Amino acid sequence: MKKTIFLGLFLALNIQAAELRMATTTSTDNTGLLDALEPLYKQETGNTLKWVAVGTGAALKIGEDCNADVLFVHSPEAEKKFIKKGFGIDRTPVMYNDFIIIADKSLAPKFKGKNLEESLKLIRDEKLTFISRGDKSGTDNKEKSLWKSIGKVPEKESWYQQSGQGMLASIKIAEEKKGVILTDRGTYIKYEFNEKGKPNLVIVNEGDDRLKNFYSVIAVNPKHCKNVNYTQAKKFINWLTSDDTLSFIGGFKLLYKPLFIVDAKTRKE
């Protein structure tokens, strides 16, 4: 009732709603989370949220170029560099899920009983077709760091193929090629949902602590970009990390599976 009264007064006073520009990652978009959050944000604030979904590297560049007010991304090291250079402020934890390695069902027995390093070495030694995002996204950054942990990124190998596309599109390429790919769990659940619970790609490695996938929200620094709406960006950060919104994110599920775990109040970095 209070929200209805507020919106009625808002419209009656003919106050122009703000349009908040956000650059975010394909995983927050592909999973459907933003489509679910946007009407809530509009209902509770009267403002409109417009976003472009790209890899985290591209999202940070959009912020650096002053073409967004706020960023919702998942590559902690890249985010910290962005802040250090003076391009962003108010970096705030929101949620996490984890990265998983998925592969064509026919390949799954090869991975049985293997840990993360052994799984990566299996892919390399048997030259299994591996699809990399290759787009400097948070997922791409994580994937390359994992390859470096066992040697080097196999960029020149024929079995290592870069899609240059978003997460869900890259998963479909891996499916077509009966290969292997690293993905975030949220997008994988969306892929499972799209496949009616019968996906051709299945999880073959998960659970390593290094595979946690942290999402944060960042306001573009108004000292760097005079045209950004910092006031609304800060209000959006407060709204996104409010108890009600976090409860909604934590309860957002597909196939009865949660896509994200909120940690805005508990993450320590």
Side-chain angles (χ1 to χ4, degrees):
M1 178 63 74
K2 289 182 179 179
K3 290 178 182 177
T4 303
I5 293 171
F6 169 78
L7 283 174
L9 289 171
F10 183 89
L11 294 171
L13 291 172
N14 197 30
I15 300 172
Q16 185 176 4
E19 181 176 285
L20 189 69
R21 303 170 302 159
M22 181 170 71
T24 187
T25 73
T26 60
S27 55
T28 55
D29 186 49
N30 288 167
T31 56
L33 176 64
L34 295 181
D35 288 326
L37 285 175
E38 191 276 333
L40 293 179
Y41 174 70
K42 188 171 184 178
Q43 181 183 33
E44 294 180 21
T45 68
N47 297 334
T48 301
L49 181 66
K50 298 291 185 182
W51 68 86
V52 58
V54 290
T56 288
L60 294 173
K61 187 65 169 65
I62 289 171
E64 181 183 339
D65 292 343
C66 306
N67 292 319
D69 304 304
V70 69
L71 311 175
F72 193 5
V73 288
H74 69 127
S75 187
E77 292 307 313
E79 294 162 26
K80 290 171 185 175
K81 289 178 183 177
F82 182 80
I83 298 288
K84 189 173 182 179
K85 290 178 180 178
F87 300 139
I89 56 176
D90 301 328
R91 178 174 176 265
T92 306
V94 180
M95 62 195 189
Y96 73 94
N97 55 24
D98 61 340
F99 291 107
I100 54 179
I101 297 176
I102 61 176
D104 187 80
K105 288 185 290 188
S106 65
L107 300 175
K110 293 177 179 290
F111 292 87
K112 189 174 181 179
K114 289 182 168 53
N115 62 26
L116 180 58
E117 287 86 356
E118 291 167 340
S119 294
L120 292 169
K121 289 176 181 177
L122 170 70
I123 297 167
R124 181 192 63 193
D125 295 346
E126 295 204 11
K127 297 179 171 53
L128 303 180
T129 299
F130 185 90
I131 305 302
S132 170
R133 289 273 296 274
D135 61 353
K136 296 184 180 179
S137 62
T139 305
D140 188 57
N141 292 339
K142 172 59 69 173
E143 177 237 304
K144 286 179 169 54
S145 74
L146 294 175
W147 285 118
K148 289 175 183 176
S149 73
I150 64 162
K152 63 180 181 179
V153 181
E155 292 177 300
K156 296 182 179 179
E157 300 293 338
S158 60
W159 53 267
Y160 183 85
Q161 301 174 20
Q162 301 190 57
S163 72
Q165 298 191 43
M167 194 69 257
L168 201 54
S170 297
I171 288 175
K172 292 301 291 183
I173 292 171
E175 179 184 62
E176 290 166 8
K177 293 180 176 289
K178 299 186 182 299
V180 187
I181 190 170
L182 178 80
T183 181
D184 67 282
R185 189 180 295 271
T187 307
Y188 178 70
I189 293 171
K190 176 64 174 179
Y191 162 70
E192 274 190 301
F193 177 81
N194 290 347
E195 298 298 316
K196 298 180 170 42
K198 297 179 180 180
N200 290 315
L201 300 180
V202 296
I203 299 172
V204 295
N205 194 274
E206 61 184 330
D208 191 288
D209 283 344
R210 289 167 291 177
L211 295 177
K212 284 189 175 178
N213 179 30
F214 296 101
Y215 292 78
S216 298
V217 61
I218 305 170
V220 175
N221 191 345
K223 291 183 179 179
H224 172 66
C225 299
K226 303 301 182 185
N227 66 313
V228 299
N229 193 337
Y230 172 70
T231 299
Q232 291 301 327
K234 182 61 176 174
K235 287 181 179 179
F236 174 77
I237 291 173
N238 292 338
W239 175 82
L240 188 64
T241 56
S242 67
D243 289 343
D244 286 348
T245 307
L246 291 174
S247 178
F248 181 86
I249 293 171
F252 184 69
K253 298 178 181 179
L254 288 174
L255 299 177
Y256 305 102
K257 300 175 183 179
L259 276 68
F260 303 98
I261 299 169
V262 298
D263 65 346
K265 313 294 185 185
T266 57
R267 189 194 312 172
K268 299 187 188 324
E269 294 185 319

